[in-house]
Amino acid sequence: MATSSITSALPHSPSSGIKALARFGFAAKGVVYLVLGTLAVMAATGVQGGKTADKKQVLQTIQDLPFGRFLLGLVAFGLLGYVIWRLVQAFRDTEDKGSDAKGLARRLGYAGSGLLYAGLAFAAGRTAFSGGAANQGGGSTQQSMTAKLLAQPYGQWLVGAIALGIIGAGLYQIYRAYSGNFAKHVNSSSLPADQQKIVFRTGQIGYTARGIVMAIIGYFVLQAALHSNSGKVQGTEGAFDLLAGMGPVVLAIVALGLMAYGVYMLVQAKYPVLRGV
C-alpha cells in the first residue's frame, strides 16, 4: 500500500503546507544529527577538531562553516517546521491515535517532542540572525531548570518522574527500531523496493543509538533526583563523555549510529515513512 493511500484514509490528514514543513524538519534534524555524530566520531578516533558536543554546540559548528549563518538559518526554518508539524500531530491527531489513554499519551509525546525542538529552533534562528554564540548557556540552562524543580514541594519525586520518562522514551526508541510496526511503515513508503531494506537497517541502527543516548541522559537526571543535586544533570555531551570512558570504540559505534539516524531523517525528508506526512 502506498503512503498516499494511507494518508488519504486519515480523517485529519495535514495540509500540503504542513507536510512540506515536516519534510523540511526531517532534513534539519538529519543535518544536526549528522554533525553531532561526526564530531563524536572525530573525538573517538583522535582526529583534530573532534569533540563531544551537545546539539547547541552543533549549531556553532554549522555557523563556523562557509556561508554558515545562511545554512543555520535554513536549519532554524526546518526545525521550526518540525515543531509546527509535531504540534499539528498532537492537536489534530493526524496519526489517528485516538482519545483514549494510550492515544492521548502518544499525542502528548508529539507535543513534547515539538516543544523540545522549539528551543533548538530558537537558538538556531537567534544565532543565524545575530551571529552570536549558539551554545551559550546550554548545559547550565538544563541544570538551572532542574534546580528550580528540585526546590519545589516533592521536587525530587517530580524530577525522578521526568528522569524515568526520559529513560522510558530512550528504551522506546530501541523497541521501535525492532518492532514490526516500524518495518511496516518503511515497507509501505514510496521508497523503491530494493532500497527499503537498507533504509530499514539504517533506521534500526539510528533509533538504537538515539535510544542509548536518551537513556543515559535520563540516568543523569535520575541521579540529580536521588541526590537532590542539579549539577548531576548532563546533556548529550555528558552522555558522549560517559561512553568515551568505556573506550573510544564504544563512543565511535554510538556516534556512527547517530550519523545513521541523521541519514534516516534525510531519507524521511525525501521519502516520508511516517503516516500523515
Side-chain angles (χ1 to χ4, degrees):
M1 184 183 297
T3 302
S4 58
S5 61
I6 294 175
T7 301
S8 62
L10 294 174
H12 305 103
S13 179
S15 66
S16 58
I18 295 297
K19 293 177 186 178
L21 288 175
R23 296 174 77 166
F24 272 115
F26 288 136
K29 279 186 69 179
V31 170
V32 169
Y33 274 94
L34 274 173
V35 175
L36 186 68
T38 300
L39 291 174
V41 168
M42 291 170 65
T45 56
V47 176
Q48 187 176 5
K51 58 183 179 180
T52 55
D54 61 21
K55 290 175 184 174
K56 289 189 177 180
Q57 289 167 327
V58 165
L59 301 181
Q60 187 67 53
T61 301
I62 296 172
Q63 183 190 29
D64 293 339
L65 295 172
F67 305 103
R69 289 181 65 179
F70 173 74
L71 293 174
L72 201 56
L74 291 179
V75 170
F77 175 77
L79 291 175
L80 179 60
Y82 182 81
V83 171
I84 293 172
W85 174 66
R86 280 302 200 186
L87 294 178
V88 169
Q89 271 189 313
F91 291 104
R92 290 191 58 193
D93 193 19
T94 58
E95 297 289 321
D96 197 25
K97 297 301 180 184
S99 299
D100 58 7
K102 183 179 178 181
L104 289 174
R106 292 293 299 275
R107 291 165 66 181
L108 184 61
Y110 296 147
S113 176
L115 293 176
L116 181 66
Y117 279 94
L120 191 63
F122 174 78
R126 181 182 61 185
T127 305
F129 287 103
S130 70
N135 60 345
Q136 197 169 15
S140 61
T141 300
Q142 296 171 352
Q143 293 178 358
S144 63
M145 290 178 62
T146 304
K148 291 178 181 178
L149 289 175
L150 288 172
Q152 303 302 314
Y154 304 104
Q156 283 182 270
W157 289 98
L158 179 59
V159 173
I162 292 172
L164 293 177
I166 297 172
I167 293 171
L171 295 177
Y172 177 75
Q173 295 289 306
I174 299 172
Y175 163 78
R176 183 179 186 182
Y178 300 95
S179 70
N181 199 36
F182 172 60
K184 180 179 67 178
H185 286 165
V186 174
N187 293 337
S188 64
S189 71
S190 58
L191 278 164
D194 59 339
Q195 297 180 17
Q196 288 180 356
K197 185 174 182 179
I198 297 174
V199 171
F200 174 64
R201 295 302 181 196
T202 302
Q204 278 190 315
I205 294 169
Y207 277 121
T208 301
R210 189 170 183 246
I212 290 171
V213 172
M214 288 179 66
I216 292 173
I217 293 172
Y219 166 77
F220 289 142
V221 178
L222 183 61
Q223 291 301 304
L226 293 174
H227 298 281
S228 191
N229 180 2
S230 62
K232 298 283 187 181
V233 174
Q234 300 290 329
T236 307
E237 184 177 10
F240 281 152
D241 289 341
L242 187 148
L243 291 167
M246 300 177 186
V249 174
V250 175
L251 174 60
I253 290 173
V254 175
L256 287 170
L258 291 181
M259 292 178 67
Y261 183 79
V263 171
Y264 178 68
M265 287 294 102
L266 293 177
V267 172
Q268 277 265 72
K270 184 172 177 59
Y271 300 101
V273 174
L274 293 176
R275 296 190 304 168
V277 181

